[in-house]
Amino acid sequence: MKFTKMHGAGNDYVYVNCFEETLPEDIASLAVAVSDRHKGIGSDGLILICPSEKADARMRMFNADGSESEMCGNGVRCVAKYVYDHGIAKQQTLKIETGAGVLHLDLELAGSRVSQVRVNMGKPILNSAEIPTLLPGDPPVDAELELGDQSLKVTCVSMGNPHCITFVDELNDHWVHGVGPKVEVHPMFPNRVNAEFIEVVSPAELKMRVWERGSGETQACGTGACASAVAGVLTGRSERNVLIHLPGGDLRLEWADSDEVFMTGPAVEVYQGVWTGP
Ligand SMILES: N[C@H](CCC[C@H](N)C(=O)O)C(=O)O
């Protein structure tokens, strides 16, 4: 099976062009196998680029643990880059079908290839039942999340996939590796949750690290950055247009007056290969 390795701000996935490749039945097991950083290709998960009846392509995204997610922000930018660079579509504004609906993307070229992508990520989902979370509030804003020995103040937002955002004075491993895994599987989140930790540099600039549902710490999380930008506004900590610094790079977020969230960031193709594994 031919694949392409790509990343958006260091959030790296194995991409398979399903216009050309046929996959095994058990895609979840394939996602686990290819993601293994020692025995597989090594990635945060697997992303399928498929034909669509209502868009230039359809994206399906699987985390490293094989779980399928509704949406992937860094992934959809790379899907758009792949679709343009590999001639599946020719125009510089693309539509990609995702679990969060059909998204519209604008491509920026460096030479003849895509370097940056601006995505209309759609409107945040703030209704607790749809996030979903059992915490009070639509959405929970600075709500108490009991973690046994400690409690957090969290804000919950969905971008098609669920996010739990905690603002901290200083980002460190205690939050990401100590608290993150507990938040991911907390009973207040029936579908589990992505756990973002945010340090406010200024009202227009945030630093973020993330413990992702199904993948652990990643270098960046596009939907998490969108959700964090929304949470910053809801909690009065940041403005509607923010630059977010992540370990793998920067993303520009704007929660527009239209209620849509726009994300601009890089999309990089690293190499192409052939998977001959199980
Ligand atoms: N782990 C996420 C999916 C990947 C999201 C992230 N990599 C992004 O760029 O949005 C979830 O299970 O909802």
Side-chain angles (χ1 to χ4, degrees):
M1 178 188 75
K2 285 192 285 186
F3 69 87
T4 301
K5 190 76 181 351
M6 305 180 80
H7 75 87
N11 185 202
D12 63 321
Y13 292 99
V14 170
Y15 290 77
V16 178
N17 177 351
C18 294
F19 288 78
E20 294 175 1
E21 301 297 312
T22 47
L23 268 77
E25 273 295 299
D26 186 353
I27 304 173
S29 299
L30 178 66
V32 173
V34 303
S35 301
D36 188 310
R37 292 196 186 277
H38 299 286
K39 299 176 182 172
I41 298 165
S43 70
D44 289 328
L46 169 69
I47 290 184
L48 309 184
I49 302 169
C50 313
S52 165
E53 297 190 349
K54 47 186 170 180
D56 296 293
R58 176 180 171 225
M59 174 179 79
R60 289 187 70 189
M61 187 272 162
F62 295 80
N63 292 303
D65 70 353
S67 61
E68 183 168 8
S69 175
E70 306 83 347
M71 184 49 205
C72 180
N74 290 316
V76 77
R77 295 199 314 274
C78 289
V79 167
K81 171 180 172 65
Y82 184 95
V83 162
Y84 180 87
D85 286 358
H86 291 259
I88 294 172
K90 304 255 183 296
Q91 66 282 18
Q92 291 183 20
T93 57
L94 294 180
K95 290 191 293 186
I96 305 292
E97 182 187 354
T98 76
V102 175
L103 302 186
H104 293 245
L105 302 94
D106 295 319
L107 309 180
E108 259 177 61
L109 302 186
S112 63
R113 302 184 70 182
V114 175
S115 58
Q116 288 268 352
V117 182
R118 183 171 191 261
V119 199
N120 178 344
M121 294 287 285
K123 299 178 179 179
I125 297 163
L126 304 180
N127 172 281
S128 58
E130 292 176 69
I131 289 176
T133 180
L134 304 175
L135 287 172
D138 273 329
V141 174
D142 283 340
E144 292 282 320
L145 182 70
E146 296 300 329
L147 281 181
D149 55 345
Q150 63 179 337
S151 80
L152 299 182
K153 283 195 178 306
V154 300
T155 300
C156 304
V157 173
S158 168
M159 293 305 297
N161 60 345
H163 297 274
C164 176
I165 296 102
T166 307
F167 290 88
V168 299
D169 293 336
E170 186 200 343
L171 280 179
N172 55 44
D173 286 353
H174 157 71
W175 293 113
V176 182
H177 299 148
V179 174
K182 295 177 186 168
V183 172
E184 176 193 0
V185 296
H186 196 287
M188 281 292 153
F189 300 103
N191 296 347
R192 296 190 295 168
V193 75
N194 298 284
E196 286 79 17
F197 300 91
I198 302 291
E199 184 181 321
V200 178
V201 176
S202 81
E205 197 174 351
L206 306 176
K207 278 169 70 178
M208 172 179 145
R209 285 178 67 181
V210 61
W211 179 270
E212 282 200 30
R213 175 178 68 171
S215 291
E217 180 172 21
T218 62
Q219 295 260 305
C221 177
T223 50
C226 295
S228 300
V230 170
V233 174
L234 293 175
T235 60
R237 292 184 173 91
S238 53
E239 295 159 1
R240 298 182 79 90
N241 194 323
V242 286
L243 181 65
I244 299 189
H245 303 294
L246 301 110
D250 293 348
L251 295 173
R252 166 66 61 185
L253 280 304
E254 180 189 1
W255 185 15
D257 291 341
S258 64
D259 194 25
E260 294 162 316
V261 180
F262 292 87
M263 171 176 62
T264 304
V268 177
E269 178 174 322
V270 183
Y271 65 91
Q272 299 171 21
V274 178
W275 170 259
T276 55

